[in-house]
Amino acid sequence: MRTHFCGLIDEALIGQTVTLCGWADVARDLGGLCFIDLRDHEGIVQVVAEPGGGEGNAAVVATAAKVGYEDCLRVTGTVRRRESVNNKIRTGQVEVVATAIEVLNKAEPLPFHAHENAGEDVRLKYRYLDLRTPKMQRMMRTRIRLVQALRRWLDARGFQDIETPILTKATPEGARDFLVPARMHPGEFYALPQSPQLFKQILMVAGFDRYYQIARCFRDEALRADRQLEFTQLDMEFAWVDEKTVQDATEEMIREVFREVMDVELGAEGEDFPRMTYAEAMRRYGSDKPDLRFDMELVDIAELVKDSEFKVFTDWANADDGRVVALRAPGAASLSRKQIDELAAHAAKYGAKGLAWMKVEDAGKGREGVNSPIAKFLDDATLAAILQATGAQSGDLLLFGAATYKVASDFMGALRLKVGKDLGLVGEGWKPLWVTDFPMFEWDEDESRYVALHHPFTAPAVDDEADLRANAKTAVSRGYDMVLNGNEIGGGSIRIHRSSMQSAVFELLGIGAEEAEAKFGFLLDALKFGAPPHGGIAFGIDRIAALMAGTESIRDVIAFPKTTTAQCLMTGAPSPIPDKQLAEVHIAVRPKVAG
């Protein structure tokens, strides 16, 4: 139907006849002289229908005059140089003088215009129109180039692309699984995979050495800007490796992919990405994925305030698991009380019970130079020590957090990010790093048991099961995350490759021998038959694509995403299923319980 793409018409084609297909982006009738901006996936070119040249041209002009927004057209014409050059588009030096215009499909009035800032709900309901816009075409093509570059790198280095099952067995985090009824096995269910974790480990036992897969994964959990029910990850696994082998290889891959797709150099040339332990990241930034594009750091002040008269500080400063921390917001003393209250509300989302603050109006005047509701509880020496420890300058705002170490770190880390963005302190460019040495376990107060910080198959830093059992609270794992601009883009670990160690970890996680055999017997058996040391990593394709495309929401780089309420507005999913169909899979739906 066509000879060329609209967005690829250039000066080399001047004088040639071309046939184009696309949508009318803009149509203008200037009293017999008509202009149409014709758009396809490669871009826009100007089409001109002008009078003169007999009945044929008159018919072309008449057709052009009736063209509406997003009409689907086929245009034949001659390429010529434009009199009025448009340097904003790739084809801006030329135009196509139409000799034939065919309306392939007339568009009805659209629910929104491509050049409007339409609401997300209407964009998602009419996703095919949203995806047609140049902005969304650009974002999706960025994702496509990312995946292509990853495959090229992996294929060239001997990684083997192996598919793993979509219908599989429920995981230890079963509440997050999507379940699929097994029609041929009444009362039994498959689960959609949260990741291919166990299968890729078994592939290492099977001798495939280097595996990868662009894998679709599913997790039934609350949605947000960087999370969807179904998502895509680059899954990788290596046999006979340690942490540095995996990190060096994948760092090289990510550098090359950013170079190819974005023409960006990640990190300092000739130097590895910086490495930071989990403990250091939480201490300095209150996050296990710190954004290093700005310098604000948390300052521990427990020692300075443990004998103060401010009970909130003293209680947590003297608690075994407590933390009292300060954050200096440069130049933020001008914030109003309402703005500070908004910061407190933000911190509350991450567990804060309150937010103490201090405006440093004149750092040289000591007590007389500060404005704070808590200053009266601090003696002069303590106040001076806080100002010195935080490096406070005149015009700064100090924010304080006190709670358990984890909670204080979490909400003060979240405040650091918000204040950094609000004050315009976040720099340009790309700041990658590795975060390493994660805790092996976290204690879950609600369930009164340990849970795995990464997953139950991550190897501990110790080789002895007795040592792990004796020191579970402080045990460190061989896990590692790649972080970029405050986003975890990849997470992995060296895996447990001995059955006895895997059983010990299950035991510490409250998974008894009988349950472990029922859920993971196939893995425990596989580890007994000469399983090699192995490790891997998974990269979030959606998240990396969003970073490359310059958008904060992964929905912008997923062709058909769900809303934050887990719905597809275009198709109406999820939807009720007829009773007859439910009966075929031996399912009965219980009435919804009120309240």
Side-chain angles (χ1 to χ4, degrees), residues 169 503 506-507 510-521 524:
K169 194 178 181 73
S503 294
F506 285 155
E507 178 188 324
I511 301 173
E514 187 174 332
E515 182 183 0
E517 180 61 32
K519 290 185 175 180
F520 306 110
L524 294 171

Side-chain angles (χ1 to χ4, degrees), residues 146 149-150 153 157 247-275 430 432-434 482 484 489 539 544 548:
L146 164 64
L150 288 168
W153 191 93
R157 286 158 182 81
Q247 291 167 13
D248 287 350
T250 53
E251 183 176 318
E252 178 193 337
M253 177 186 72
I254 290 296
R255 284 182 189 270
E256 178 59 33
V257 166
F258 267 80
R259 192 178 296 126
E260 180 178 336
V261 177
M262 300 287 293
D263 194 24
V264 161
E265 290 293 336
L266 284 188
E269 187 175 353
E271 296 181 10
D272 291 342
F273 289 173
R275 281 164 168 74
W430 304 89
L433 78 151
W434 286 102
M482 185 185 289
L484 182 61
I489 62 171
F539 287 94
I544 297 173
M548 287 181 162

Side-chain angles (χ1 to χ4, degrees), residues 331-406:
S334 59
L335 293 184
S336 67
R337 181 58 186 268
K338 181 175 182 291
Q339 289 172 308
I340 294 174
D341 287 345
E342 289 171 355
L343 293 178
H346 183 74
K349 297 176 185 177
Y350 297 86
K353 301 297 184 184
L355 183 66
W357 54 270
M358 182 181 294
K359 292 185 177 184
V360 184
E361 294 169 345
D362 189 334
K365 290 186 177 180
R367 179 177 299 279
E368 300 303 316
V370 302
N371 174 10
S372 171
I374 68 167
K376 61 187 176 184
F377 300 110
L378 306 173
D379 60 35
D380 289 350
T382 301
L383 195 58
I386 290 172
L387 295 178
Q388 181 178 9
T390 57
Q393 304 292 316
S394 299
D396 291 348
L397 173 69
L398 299 182
L399 301 170
F400 301 93
T404 63
Y405 194 95
K406 185 177 187 313

